[in-house]
């Protein structure tokens, strides 16, 4: 390790943060692995999705912390102290000093990059030949465009499924008299959804029921202003009195 | 009489569905409930908290023997009239009134709201004149529209608060005639219904009986899980005490006027 004297507390903090995030990642990976191994019928998709989202969040936070502490982490390099028990802990030492990735890890990475390069520009990593050209004709731009559209569209569909129960009836009507009133159901449906007022919190209604009035919002700012004005007035008065007194003395 | 309460919210879109579910749970048809609530507030402003405790030195010695009583709380109370839809058609009602008092819910988290309630039937005379003569000011009135079920010992009330549209502050007394039912608008613009499950324990606060009621109400909460989430709200949203409002700087003249 780098000699402790040149490590600032910030550097230590960066290292510690990275370590914590990695521990979290390892934990969630182990969790997923355990789930996949133990459950005889595979765990249902919501739970799988939940754990993958968790993993993704952990990875994102690791990336964030390493990016912010990029400089410090770049500077660091491991070099054993003379007092390190090299004889007994040689395995650990080798692991610490090894710069190159393990062969199987390298395989994973190249495999992942291979998949990624099928639909997006990989720069120096990709093999270049396949970049931007895919079997199904989607490049990076169209993929991101697709997802930008798909997110809101999926939300819309979900909203229709969960909220509007009379959607079918509207559709039927629409089919019957499509010529003259084609736009009408849409006109009805769209603003109704937008202008659906937010519901009052239960507490407000209960307070109204018990005291006959909607709870008054105490205006802290107004009180503050009142107080400031009063203080200012008092200060002005004392200043005025002081000036009068002085004027009286000099006269 | 003690009342144990749980509340839940039902969106307007699910109102019909919940009505049917509750009919199945309680094995009875929903009973329409229409109530007119007139809220009264005591005329006297409440004392400043702590004003009963002597401050200052010289006066305190003389009056040391004086009995120190706690500041008495003042409460909002209701006059309630049970109506029918016919009353709204005729725009007047001869239905009897009940004077209703709800205490602040007990402290202590039992998972359900526990409060003291009392109702006094008003036999004859003008209820508003009676309330005014006892030093109460009219605050506002609202209507409660809902359906009631009885399931074991539990009163289930799925209701909505309706108000008359228009400014409310100008009125000094309740309206002599009823408005038409269609002119009433929900207090909550989204039309959300409130599901209130309650048990009334008449025995004078016997703890064992109240615990039994709490258990039964919790069992009902579990039964309704997934349909309507019932919960005990914060006790202070059901606070019926009149609040002391200190506004230390509000009566000062603005600086422009003073100068």
């Amino acid at each position: 390790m780098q000699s402790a004297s040149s490590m600032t507390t910030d550097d230590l903090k960066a290292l510690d943060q990275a370590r914590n995030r990695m521990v979290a990642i390892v934990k969630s990976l182990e969790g997923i692995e355990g789930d996949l191994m133990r459950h005889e019928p595979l765990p249902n998709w919501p739970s799988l999705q939940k754990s993958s989202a968790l993993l993704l969040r952990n990875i994102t936070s690791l990336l964030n912390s390493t990016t912010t502490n990029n400089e410090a982490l770049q500077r660091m390099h491991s070099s054993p102290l003379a007092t390190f028990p090299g004889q007994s802990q040689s395995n650990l030492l080798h692991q610490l000093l090894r710069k190159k990735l393990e062969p199987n890890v390298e395989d994973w990475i190249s495999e992942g990059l291979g998949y990624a390069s099928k639909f997006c520009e990989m720069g120096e990593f990709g093999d270049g030949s396949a970049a931007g050209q895919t079997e199904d004709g989607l490049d990076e731009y169209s993929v991101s465009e697709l997802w930008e559209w798909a997110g809101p569209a999926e939300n819309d569909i979900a909203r229709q499924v969960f909220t509007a129960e009379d959607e079918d009836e509207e559709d039927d009507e629409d089919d019957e008299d499509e010529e003259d009133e084609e736009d009408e159901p849409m006109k009805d449906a769209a603003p109704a959804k937008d202008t659906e007022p937010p519901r009052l919190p239960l507490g407000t209604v209960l307070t109204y029921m018990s005291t006959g009035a909607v709870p008054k919002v105490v205006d802290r700012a107004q009180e503050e202003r009142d107080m400031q004005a009063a203080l200012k007035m008092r200060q002005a008065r004392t200043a005025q009195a002081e000036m009068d007194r002085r004027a009286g003395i000099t006269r | 009489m003690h009342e144990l309460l749980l509340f839940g919210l039902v969106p307007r879109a699910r109102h019909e569905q919940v009505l049917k579910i509750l009919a199945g749970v309680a094995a009875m048809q929903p009973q329409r409930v229409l109530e007119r609530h007139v809220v009264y507030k005591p005329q006297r402003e409440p004392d400043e908290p702590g004003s009963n405790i002597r401050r200052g030195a010289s006066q305190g010695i003389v009056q040391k023997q004086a009995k120190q009583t706690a500041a008495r709380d003042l409460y909002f109370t209701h006059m309630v009239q049970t109506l029918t839809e016919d009353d709204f058609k005729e725009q007047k009602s001869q239905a009897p009134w009940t004077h209703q008092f709800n205490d602040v819910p007990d402290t202590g988290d039992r998972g359900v709201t526990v409060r003291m309630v009392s109702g006094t039937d008003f036999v004859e005379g003008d209820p508003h004149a009676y309330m005014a003569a006892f030093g109460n000011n009219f605050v506002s009135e609202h209507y409660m529209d809902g359906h009631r079920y009885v399931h074991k010992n539990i009163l289930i009330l799925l209701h909505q608060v309706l108000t008359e549209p228009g400014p409310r502050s100008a009125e000094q007394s309740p309206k002599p005639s009823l408005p038409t039912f269609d002119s009433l608008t929900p207090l909550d613009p989204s039309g959300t219904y409130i599901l209130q499950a309650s048990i009334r324990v008449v025995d004078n606060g016997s703890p064992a009986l109240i615990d039994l009621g709490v258990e039964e109400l919790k069992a009902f909460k579990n039964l309704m899980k997934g349909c309507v989430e019932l919960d005990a709200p914060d006790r202070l949203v059901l606070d019926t005490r009149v609040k002391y409002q200190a506004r230390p700087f509000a009566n000062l003249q603005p600086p422009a006027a003073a100068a």
Side-chain angles (χ1 to χ4, degrees):
Chain A
M1 298 283 143
Q2 210 171 3
S3 70
S5 61
S6 67
M7 298 266 287
T8 62
T9 47
D10 279 352
D11 292 349
L12 278 176
K13 217 182 269 172
L15 267 182
D16 209 37
Q17 207 174 16
R19 188 176 61 102
N20 278 336
R21 299 281 149 81
M22 289 206 205
V23 167
I25 290 180
V26 167
K27 234 181 212 161
S28 57
L29 269 177
E30 275 173 354
I32 296 175
E33 193 185 16
D35 276 355
L36 290 176
M37 302 271 270
R38 259 183 284 117
H39 287 263
E40 195 29 68
L42 282 178
N44 53 356
W45 67 262
S47 83
L48 273 180
Q49 199 186 21
K50 210 188 236 156
S51 37
S52 93
L54 198 68
L55 181 62
L56 209 61
R57 210 171 61 201
N58 284 332
I59 292 177
T60 319
S61 63
L62 172 68
L63 282 178
N64 280 342
S65 84
T66 49
T67 331
T68 46
N69 302 319
N70 189 15
E71 203 193 334
L73 291 173
Q74 288 274 2
R75 253 190 294 118
M76 289 175 202
H77 54 94
S78 53
S79 63
L81 294 171
T83 52
F84 189 83
Q87 293 290 338
S88 52
Q89 302 284 341
S90 61
N91 274 341
L92 182 63
L93 190 62
H94 279 299
Q95 224 168 34
L96 284 175
L97 291 184
R98 193 187 158 92
K99 300 268 168 141
K100 214 163 151 27
L101 297 170
E102 299 280 339
N104 55 344
V105 178
E106 272 193 332
D107 287 350
W108 285 343
I109 291 181
S110 62
E111 203 178 318
L113 286 176
Y115 281 124
S117 69
K118 276 186 191 163
F119 55 83
C120 61
E121 197 77 43
M122 293 304 296
E124 50 182 312
F125 300 107
D127 50 359
S129 60
Q133 301 286 328
T134 63
E135 308 96 74
D136 51 356
L138 282 177
D139 56 3
E140 187 183 357
Y141 174 70
S142 19
V143 167
S144 60
E145 198 180 33
L146 172 69
W147 279 109
E148 261 169 35
W149 167 82
E154 183 264 345
N155 271 343
D156 282 347
I157 294 168
R159 207 174 300 144
Q160 277 168 16
V161 169
F162 288 122
T163 56
E165 290 156 352
D166 49 355
E167 200 69 20
D168 293 341
E169 297 165 23
E170 277 178 10
D171 282 351
D172 292 346
E173 283 170 21
D174 204 359
D175 290 342
E176 282 160 23
D177 43 20
E178 57 185 339
E179 275 307 309
D180 43 353
E181 291 181 341
E182 197 176 17
D183 281 344
E184 201 211 22
M186 286 175 71
K187 251 189 270 165
D188 280 349
K193 261 168 214 159
D194 289 344
T195 56
E196 177 77 11
R199 65 162 80 149
L200 282 179
L202 178 63
T204 310
V205 181
L206 291 179
T207 309
Y208 180 84
M209 283 170 66
S210 38
T211 62
V214 177
K216 198 166 29 171
V217 181
V218 177
D219 192 353
R220 293 267 166 223
Q222 182 61 45
E223 278 179 12
E224 190 78 0
R225 279 199 296 277
D226 284 345
M227 199 168 75
Q228 293 295 342
L231 287 177
K232 252 186 207 157
M233 216 162 75
R234 194 201 275 171
Q235 271 172 4
R237 264 191 210 151
T238 47
Q240 187 67 40
E242 184 77 359
M243 276 170 68
D244 288 352
R245 197 170 58 85
R246 280 197 190 154
I249 288 170
T250 49
R251 258 177 230 151
Chain B
M1 182 162 62
H2 280 73
E3 193 176 36
L4 320 177
L5 291 161
L6 280 178
F7 293 95
L9 286 175
V10 178
R12 183 169 50 187
R14 289 192 58 223
H15 177 233
E16 292 279 320
Q17 181 202 15
V18 173
L19 270 181
K20 284 171 191 154
I21 290 173
L22 286 173
V25 167
M28 66 179 282
Q29 287 303 310
Q31 306 297 313
R32 183 75 185 267
V33 181
L34 277 171
E35 280 178 6
R36 180 182 187 191
H37 285 245
V38 183
V39 183
Y40 287 95
K41 176 188 176 180
Q43 237 160 26
R44 188 164 69 84
E45 286 294 311
D47 297 333
E48 182 184 352
S51 63
N52 55 320
I53 298 157
R54 296 272 160 242
R55 282 174 290 202
S58 56
Q59 295 289 314
I61 296 163
V62 182
Q63 301 189 344
K64 207 168 187 180
Q65 301 304 319
K67 200 179 166 193
Q68 295 199 347
T69 50
R72 198 119 60 86
D73 283 324
L74 300 166
Y75 294 91
F76 286 97
T77 51
H78 288 207
M79 269 290 182
V80 183
Q81 188 182 30
T82 306
L83 304 171
T84 61
E85 278 201 65
D86 293 337
D87 292 333
F88 279 103
K89 276 174 200 145
E90 293 167 24
Q91 304 233 332
K92 64 181 166 60
S93 168
Q94 296 302 320
W97 291 81
T98 304
H99 184 216
Q100 213 175 61
F101 162 69
N102 299 327
D103 201 352
V104 191
D106 290 356
T107 50
D109 186 15
R110 302 205 211 198
V112 308
T113 302
V114 182
R115 70 179 181 187
M116 245 267 296
V117 296
S118 80
T120 312
D121 286 342
F122 194 78
V123 184
E124 61 174 326
D126 179 3
H128 177 67
Y130 171 81
M131 290 305 282
F134 265 95
N136 290 294
N137 283 337
F138 167 78
V139 181
S140 67
E141 55 184 320
H142 59 262
Y143 297 84
M144 201 198 69
D145 170 31
H147 292 90
R148 183 178 284 145
Y149 304 85
V150 180
H151 171 57
K152 295 183 190 170
N153 295 318
I154 305 170
L155 287 173
I156 305 165
L157 183 64
L158 183 61
H159 69 101
Q160 197 180 28
V161 176
L162 303 175
T163 55
E164 275 184 79
R168 309 191 189 102
S169 53
E171 294 151 20
Q172 293 295 316
S173 62
K175 289 241 172 75
S177 66
L178 290 175
T180 57
F181 187 72
D182 297 330
S183 72
L184 297 174
T185 53
L187 172 71
D188 185 348
S190 68
T192 304
Y193 280 77
I194 294 176
L195 180 64
Q196 173 191 315
S198 62
I199 293 183
R200 302 198 143 187
V201 182
V202 180
D203 185 15
N204 224 350
S206 133
L209 207 56
I210 289 182
D211 285 346
L212 214 63
V214 169
E215 287 312 309
E216 195 173 323
L217 209 55
K218 278 186 181 164
F220 178 70
K221 177 184 175 177
N222 277 334
L223 184 70
M224 294 303 289
K225 196 172 266 179
C227 175
V228 180
E229 297 304 319
L230 290 165
D231 219 342
D234 179 35
R235 64 184 278 269
L236 290 182
V237 306
L238 289 167
D239 193 351
T240 48
R241 286 174 298 190
V242 182
K243 295 270 166 30
Y244 170 76
Q245 276 174 346
R247 285 177 299 152
F249 296 103
N251 49 4
L252 276 168
Q253 289 165 357

